[in-house]
Amino acid sequence: MRWVYIELKGWHGKILWIDLSKREYKEARYPLEWAMDYIGGRGLAVRILWEYLPRGIDPLSPENLFILAVGPLTGLTLPSSGKMVVASKSPLTGGYGDGNIGSWAAVELRRAGYDAVVFKGRSSKPVVTVIEDSKVEFRDADDLWGLDTWETERRLKEEYGKQAGILEIGPAGENRVRFATVISQEGRSGGRPGMGAVMGSKNLKAVVIRGTGDFNLFDPKRVKEEGSKAYMDVVRSKSYKFWMRQGTMMTVDWAQEASVLPAYNFREGVFEGFKGIDGYRMEELKIGQRGCPKCNMVCGNMIKDAEDQVSELDYENVAMLGSNIGLDDLRRVGVLNRLADMLGLDTISLGSVLGWAAEASEKKHIDYKVEWGDYEAFYSLVKEIAYRETGIGNLLAEGVRGACLKVGKDSCDYAIHAKGLEVSAYDCHAAPGMALAYATSPIGAHHKDAWVISWEVATNRFSYDRGKAAKVIELQRIRGGLFESFVACRFPWVEVGLSLDYYPKLLTYATGVKYDWNKLYEVADRIYTLIRAFWIREAGGWSRDYDMPPVRWLKEPLTKGPLAGARLDIDSYNSLLNHYYDLRGWDNRGVPRRSTLERLKLDFVVNELDKIVGLTE
Ligand code: PTT
Ligand code: SF4
């Protein structure tokens, strides 16, 4: 195929390729079509992985690619644009993995003149990669290896200045814990499906980025005017004041009220101690807030934790390390949360493996004693996991799916994951739409692609109708398809109601390409379908079992709260899944149809998928 290269505004059109084995780098232009058809961020990342990742490799081998990708809206003067995608083949799930992290590294990468950086190979010893505009240096990192993320970033800031954007891993990433994340700015964490472990497997302790260039925009004046208006709309919104008080922590009370607050390893959707960990309790302890660059609604709420240190709280962290493990003291939850940030562990997966361990201990499926709410035992387990020092630490470092497969004895019946990624903090015994959102999320069970639960609870909660599948797809398009590819934070829209209409306009001003919703939805569908093709390729086959929710929600009803007795119905779930597949143009195995691939300009995957699974028309 002959590719045309980018001469457009809004993108730089360049990828920086870094070979850590050889300590070499080069910059390369990428095809114009990739920008047009995938926009950037997640879209660009999956296109790169499809094209360049050797088939079937071990995600922790040097062959894996570790990608940082921004989009045309990243870092601009518009609300909450300081975000970037970190992506790779996941060591936790074996499929496509990514996360969205707020960091100055996102802004600096755009200033440095790249749309993405791709790392391959493995350094023979610990290294920090330093990108300064078009120059790359490899700084030995023996002195940093073993340090926690906060200390690593502090030392690198001393060396490279306060303006530098820095992404790093902690001991968990170094030790290849399968749910280790990438950390920045002490409380930003990205890449739930083990992106930190991939960095660790490459001996890449940190990436430092500084750039001095401009954003190469089509109409910078209109971007600024429109972006400034959007900032004002954020501040003037009705929900702004309360958001600034509680941020995502307001969700604890809502989740309790709606019976979706995970408790005791997702056995229940209500928690008797919720008042000890809710947004109002957080307000009593709050000492400040911080967040990502370019944001005027910063959501990282800081408290002094039980060890008198600063911990930055979010709903997911608190529910998973609080109610899900039976802990009702926010200052103690704060300690576990801070440890996760410093060691570089994903809090959601961590809360899930701790919950699984408590249940396995209770059922005597493992020879280890840890009880619900046992803070000291959980505290020690967090460290044992990050350092993989002990038998139990090593076991839990594999994630719930890996751990239950090793332990056996029905312990997979209470391993709460989809496709190997631990479920985030919404119980779905009584929320079929959210269960579908988790089960079909392109990275495994994360809420980020379709947080349909608030709509579901407020509407026809117990139905499994076609409209629900359509709603999941609508949200996946906007959240997982678009915000992840033009790359900005979705909270201005989700949480304070910023009009979505800003985004096509801003994209058009930034790039000069006319965007409307039809065009954007087509991009989103293309990205979703390519990610599905990538999963099938890497799994070497496919069946609808991959798109099923955790067994617990189907088999074991809730026993507490107003919805006691509720559970998902398997036949109805299957019919909901059929609607979903049909609306996406996938067959009843969850494999994209040939006609869908062709309509979405994904002809280049047809032959390979056909050989693996046999495509339907
Ligand atoms: C995100 C996931 C979330 S989603 C939370 S809380 W949330 C957890 N936060 C963690 C943390 O903190 N420390 C830690 N060690 N592990 C953590 N794991 C969990 O990670 C995050 C915010 C949040 S807070 C959310 S919903 C929104 N997510 C966005 C998204 O996905 N895309 C997008 N375009 N905008 C988003 N805005 C919001 O960003 P992952 P961050 Mg995160 C302490 O990365 O892998 O997607 O996992 O990036 O900068 O911390 O911002 O109630
Ligand atoms: Fe970051 Fe929160 Fe601001 Fe979004 S709202 S950009 S997650 S600080």
Side-chain angles (χ1 to χ4, degrees):
M1 185 195 299
R2 284 200 52 208
W3 277 331
V4 178
Y5 293 94
I6 297 186
E7 297 293 343
L8 284 174
K9 296 288 185 180
W11 292 270
H12 292 297
K14 283 185 296 183
I15 296 172
L16 177 64
W17 287 86
I18 298 180
D19 185 332
L20 290 165
S21 302
K22 297 184 182 151
R23 295 205 172 190
E24 286 175 355
Y25 67 98
K26 65 171 188 213
E27 64 176 51
R29 301 190 72 76
Y30 66 89
L32 172 68
E33 286 162 328
W34 290 16
M36 294 293 99
D37 293 347
Y38 300 90
I39 300 183
R42 168 183 270 184
L44 183 57
V46 66
R47 188 65 186 88
I48 292 170
L49 286 173
W50 181 274
E51 193 71 27
Y52 297 107
L53 189 85
R55 272 76 182 141
I57 54 121
D58 172 355
L60 294 176
S61 70
E63 285 77 31
N64 202 1
L65 303 177
F66 173 66
I67 301 172
L68 309 176
V70 288
L73 296 192
T74 305
L76 305 188
T77 307
L78 59 94
S80 312
S81 68
K83 288 258 180 186
M84 74 199 302
V85 169
V86 290
S88 199
K89 178 173 173 178
S90 160
L92 184 62
T93 68
Y96 174 79
D98 72 14
N100 190 300
I101 184 166
S103 170
W104 279 103
V107 186
E108 294 296 305
L109 183 59
R110 281 212 82 190
R111 287 195 193 286
Y114 299 106
D115 297 333
V117 185
V118 183
F119 293 90
K120 62 176 188 174
R122 172 182 295 154
S123 172
S124 55
K125 52 189 188 146
V127 71
V128 175
T129 301
V130 183
I131 302 166
E132 292 187 81
D133 291 324
S134 57
K135 200 174 88 203
V136 177
E137 275 179 10
F138 300 95
R139 174 207 183 278
D140 284 341
D142 288 330
D143 59 326
L144 301 175
W145 203 251
L147 293 184
D148 68 50
T149 59
W150 291 16
E151 182 60 13
T152 303
E153 188 156 335
R154 194 188 64 72
R155 291 199 193 180
L156 288 171
K157 280 238 177 284
E158 260 176 22
E159 215 169 311
Y160 294 98
K162 284 207 171 106
Q163 291 308 315
I166 301 173
L167 305 166
E168 70 275 341
I169 57 167
E174 295 171 11
N175 295 314
R176 303 174 195 191
V177 174
R178 288 184 191 271
F179 50 90
T181 56
V182 180
I183 304 282
S184 191
Q185 300 178 193
E186 296 192 350
R188 311 278 102 203
S189 161
R192 290 195 52 216
M195 302 301 101
V198 176
M199 271 181 81
S201 73
K202 298 190 171 307
N203 280 328
L204 179 60
K205 177 69 179 172
V207 184
V208 176
I209 310 179
R210 288 200 305 202
T212 55
D214 84 351
F215 290 89
N216 188 33
L217 300 180
F218 174 73
D219 190 342
K221 192 164 159 269
R222 291 182 86 177
V223 169
K224 200 166 171 195
E225 277 168 15
E226 204 63 28
S228 308
K229 254 173 46 194
Y231 273 121
M232 289 311 296
D233 283 3
V234 166
V235 176
R236 288 196 200 112
S237 85
K238 273 199 237 126
S239 25
Y240 184 73
K241 251 194 180 157
F242 193 58
W243 169 263
M244 290 305 278
R245 279 173 50 192
Q246 294 202 356
T248 59
M249 285 293 292
M250 67 172 87
T251 314
V252 175
D253 285 357
W254 171 83
Q256 171 77 8
E257 174 77 27
S259 291
V260 300
L261 182 67
Y264 306 104
N265 195 29
F266 289 86
R267 271 181 187 160
E268 306 296 345
V270 291
F271 179 53
E272 58 287 357
F274 76 99
K275 281 201 179 305
I277 58 167
D278 73 359
Y280 294 98
R281 177 65 185 133
M282 185 277 295
E283 282 195 73
E284 288 168 8
L285 300 170
K286 184 166 167 175
I287 54 164
Q289 61 202 98
R290 63 187 178 198
C292 313
K294 306 276 177 178
C295 182
N296 66 341
M297 49 182 285
V298 285
C299 64
N301 285 303
M302 292 135 70
I303 63 159
K304 277 273 172 77
D305 64 31
E307 291 186 341
D308 227 20
Q309 298 211 43
V310 175
S311 180
E312 185 182 321
L313 302 177
D314 268 304
Y315 166 71
E316 303 290 330
N317 308 343
V318 167
M320 293 306 293
L321 295 170
S323 49
N324 196 52
I325 59 173
L327 206 57
D328 61 5
D329 175 346
L330 195 58
R331 295 184 72 228
R332 288 181 155 192
V333 173
V335 172
L336 302 183
N337 175 65
R338 174 174 49 78
L339 283 179
D341 284 346
M342 296 175 83
L343 297 167
L345 289 161
D346 175 54
T347 49
I348 296 173
S349 294
L350 180 62
S352 196
V353 295
L354 295 178
W356 179 86
E359 188 159 351
S361 172
E362 184 182 72
K363 293 190 156 118
K364 306 215 173 344
H365 287 167
I366 54 172
D367 186 17
Y368 187 85
K369 186 134 176 70
V370 49
E371 289 175 1
W372 301 112
D374 184 349
Y375 169 69
E376 274 80 21
F378 289 130
Y379 183 100
S380 135
L381 273 177
V382 173
K383 294 196 169 171
E384 290 173 52
I385 292 168
Y387 290 95
R388 281 187 179 267
E389 260 168 6
T390 57
I392 182 79
N394 210 19
L395 177 76
L396 299 179
E398 294 297 301
V400 287
R401 181 175 68 178
C404 84
L405 288 173
K406 284 199 174 131
V407 166
K409 304 173 193 161
D410 298 332
S411 67
C412 286
D413 283 0
Y414 54 89
I416 313 297
H417 71 92
K419 298 188 182 66
L421 182 67
E422 289 75 15
V423 170
S424 30
Y426 304 94
D427 184 83
C428 295
H429 279 89
M434 192 65 213
L436 178 73
Y438 278 135
T440 59
S441 153
I443 61 166
H446 198 6
H447 62 291
K448 74 190 224 169
D449 279 74
W451 191 64
V452 72
I453 197 155
S454 65
W455 172 86
E456 183 168 41
V457 165
T459 53
N460 195 358
R461 179 163 187 171
F462 297 100
S463 92
Y464 294 77
D465 60 64
R466 193 169 175 86
K468 211 167 243 190
K471 187 72 182 176
V472 169
I473 292 177
E474 179 195 326
L475 291 177
Q476 288 180 335
R477 282 175 166 160
I478 299 171
R479 296 165 61 110
L482 300 177
F483 277 93
E484 298 311 314
S485 59
F486 53 59
V487 194
C489 177
R490 60 169 189 263
F491 276 170
W493 163 59
V494 176
E495 302 292 353
V496 300
L498 183 69
S499 167
L500 267 183
D501 290 337
Y502 272 112
Y503 294 96
K505 255 196 273 179
L506 283 161
L507 261 181
T508 301
Y509 298 151
T511 63
V513 179
K514 180 95 189 79
Y515 280 102
D516 58 28
W517 284 107
N518 283 341
K519 189 173 185 144
L520 288 172
Y521 280 171
E522 190 184 301
V523 170
D525 289 349
R526 180 176 300 116
I527 294 170
Y528 258 69
T529 302
L530 182 57
I531 293 179
R532 175 53 59 114
F534 180 83
W535 272 92
I536 296 170
R537 184 185 95 175
E538 296 305 309
W542 200 256
S543 82
R544 56 195 290 141
D545 291 349
Y546 283 101
D547 294 330
M548 297 307 280
V551 179
R552 164 154 282 166
W553 296 339
L554 293 157
K555 282 195 180 164
E556 295 173 35
L558 295 172
T559 68
K560 292 185 186 157
L563 297 184
R567 66 170 167 83
L568 297 178
D569 175 67
I570 182 73
D571 294 337
S572 309
Y573 179 83
N574 268 315
S575 104
L576 184 64
L577 187 58
N578 286 343
H579 287 310
Y580 178 89
Y581 288 158
D582 191 40
L583 289 163
R584 279 227 169 268
W586 299 354
D587 67 19
N588 64 8
R589 299 167 298 171
V591 174
R593 294 178 184 279
R594 186 188 296 270
S595 50
T596 305
L597 294 170
E598 286 168 357
R599 176 172 54 80
L600 294 172
K601 294 207 276 175
L602 294 170
D603 314 62
F604 58 90
V605 311
V606 166
N607 284 344
E608 195 163 350
L609 283 203
D610 200 24
K611 272 193 209 130
I612 300 171
V613 281
L615 292 177
T616 31
E617 291 306 315

